[in-house]
Amino acid sequence: MAKANGNKPRVLSGIQPSGNLTIGNYLGALKQWVAVQREYDCFYCVVDLHAITVAQAPAELRRKTRESAAIYIAAGIDPEISTIFVQSHIPAHSELAWILTCMAPLGWLQRMTQFKDKTAKQMQDSIGAGLLNYPSLMAADILLYQAELVPVGDDQNQHLEFTRDLAQRFNHLYGETFTMPSVMNPQAGARIMGLDRPTAKMSKSEESDNHAIFLLDDVGRARKKIGRAVTDSFREIRFSEDKERAGINNLLTIYQAITDEPRASIEAHFSDKGYGDLKREVADCVADTLAPLQARYQELMEEAGYLDSVLKIGREKAGEIAEATLKKAQENIGFLAPS
Ligand code: ATP
Ligand code: LTN
């Protein structure tokens, strides 16, 4: 398969501009994106087509889309090295998604955990069909770039399996067209849980106040949220899969994902300390992550035209690759080429 940028294998990933990005998005996705950008030819997308699978206010969506792109850069994605772009700027995403939707078995789509979670408690008539077809669009995002690696949090692993199954099906029916992608989860932080409800994944679109730490939360506010995080009455600081210890486990996981220290040395460090100390130290390392990111974010937002020029270059670079793959898929499936 053709590889751009020397002979580096490709990476593609994306985040929905469906709210304020959280520390879960950072530790599960962005931090890995930064870590792989010199070794791979990376494409990072703001997936606005995915965001509209649930209702978004137009002005908000536009604002969140720019904000998300700025956060990618502020978190350490270097636009000189990686390609940053907006999904809806490249029509090939929608076009390939349609082709893949026609090949995606309904049963597979209905069995997706994210689809089941997002539609539970809703009346059939209020669920947009985009939520069902969401995984075909995600498969299109990945396959258009012939990506070999997809860095995501572990809630996306099922979608990656689906993408691989669909790619295999297409290649089998119509000849070798797509590269088979692999998932990449971080060693620590693949699933950060809600501070208020440590048995549920931290999510940017959750309403409650003490649920998520947002990357643009002022540091004092983030500290307060950590101070209020749900813990337990065991008075023991260790990693644990036990549901009743999920709050402490989550704080330790945040600490581990930020510091990259091994679990044993983290447990040893906290062995003679209390929950108050743990919260304070987690808050310190979260603050050390947020402060420089926010400073860079402010600069970017004040630099007129810069962000738009990054997205324009991204659109051109990504568009060229996506168009070439789409053309190949269209030919292989039997569409008559326009003369
Ligand atoms: P929404 O609440 O709008 O569905 P979300 O917060 O779950 O959004 P996504 O846009 O779906 O975020 O996710 C973008 C990336 O961030 C994905 O790679 C996803 O796996 C990762 N991610 C999201 N939440 C977490 C989390 N709590 N822990 C680790 N990774 C996460
Ligand atoms: N479904 C992902 C977002 C997403 C994505 C992608 C991730 C859309 N397209 C392509 C990786 C690669 C989510 O996090 N909810």
Side-chain angles (χ1 to χ4, degrees), residues 48-280:
D48 53 351
L49 298 173
H50 279 102
I52 63 158
T53 54
V54 299
Q56 306 290 338
E60 273 288 275
L61 179 63
R62 218 172 339 262
R63 193 167 63 79
K64 295 287 177 216
T65 299
R66 291 187 93 248
E67 191 176 296
S68 297
I71 289 180
Y72 291 5
I73 301 170
I77 305 298
D78 182 347
E80 301 284 327
I81 301 175
S82 302
T83 305
I84 301 173
F85 67 103
V86 176
Q87 187 186 29
S88 67
H89 288 178
I90 298 177
H93 287 250
S94 303
E95 295 181 61
L96 183 62
W98 174 254
I99 294 175
L100 297 177
T101 292
C102 294
M103 303 187 47
L106 188 57
W108 293 6
L109 293 169
Q110 285 168 330
R111 282 193 290 276
M112 291 286 134
T113 311
Q114 182 174 298
F115 174 70
K116 290 194 279 185
D117 287 352
K118 291 206 170 180
T119 55
K121 296 180 212 138
Q122 279 193 62
M123 305 290 285
Q124 286 267 334
D125 282 355
S126 61
I127 299 167
L131 265 187
L132 181 70
N133 291 319
Y134 182 113
S136 308
L137 177 59
M138 177 161 162
D141 299 343
I142 296 166
L143 300 178
L144 277 175
Y145 298 89
Q146 308 289 11
E148 292 187 22
L149 206 62
V150 182
V152 282
D154 72 6
D155 62 313
Q156 295 305 310
N157 292 3
Q158 196 186 29
H159 287 156
L160 252 296
E161 271 308 304
F162 172 91
T163 302
R164 291 168 59 89
D165 290 344
L166 217 50
Q168 206 156 25
R169 194 174 239 246
F170 193 104
N171 287 349
H172 176 72
L173 290 171
Y174 303 110
E176 204 57 29
T177 309
F178 300 123
T179 301
M180 204 55 69
S182 299
V183 71
M184 180 191 180
N185 296 137
Q187 283 196 334
R191 186 176 299 224
I192 301 298
M193 311 305 272
L195 296 179
D196 59 340
R197 208 156 40 101
T199 50
K201 192 195 80 153
M202 181 184 285
S203 152
K204 68 171 109 68
S205 51
E206 167 81 39
E207 303 275 309
S208 80
D209 234 15
N210 290 319
H211 172 79
I213 298 167
F214 297 114
L215 294 173
L216 299 182
D217 268 346
D218 90 36
V219 167
R221 188 172 159 78
R223 280 184 182 281
K224 268 198 193 120
K225 289 182 181 175
I226 294 168
R228 294 191 193 119
V230 167
T231 58
D232 54 51
S233 50
F234 295 108
R235 295 167 183 269
E236 198 182 4
I237 303 180
R238 63 175 172 85
F239 289 93
S240 166
E241 295 303 311
D242 185 349
K243 272 198 167 150
E244 294 180 344
R245 298 172 187 260
I248 292 299
N249 189 66
N250 193 36
L251 291 173
L252 283 170
T253 302
I254 294 172
Y255 186 89
Q256 183 194 5
I258 292 179
T259 61
D260 294 315
E261 284 175 32
R263 285 183 167 206
S265 67
I266 295 173
E267 286 178 346
H269 172 77
F270 286 110
S271 63
D272 56 354
K273 298 184 178 170
Y275 287 179
D277 302 308
L278 172 65
K279 284 184 165 177
R280 206 166 314 113

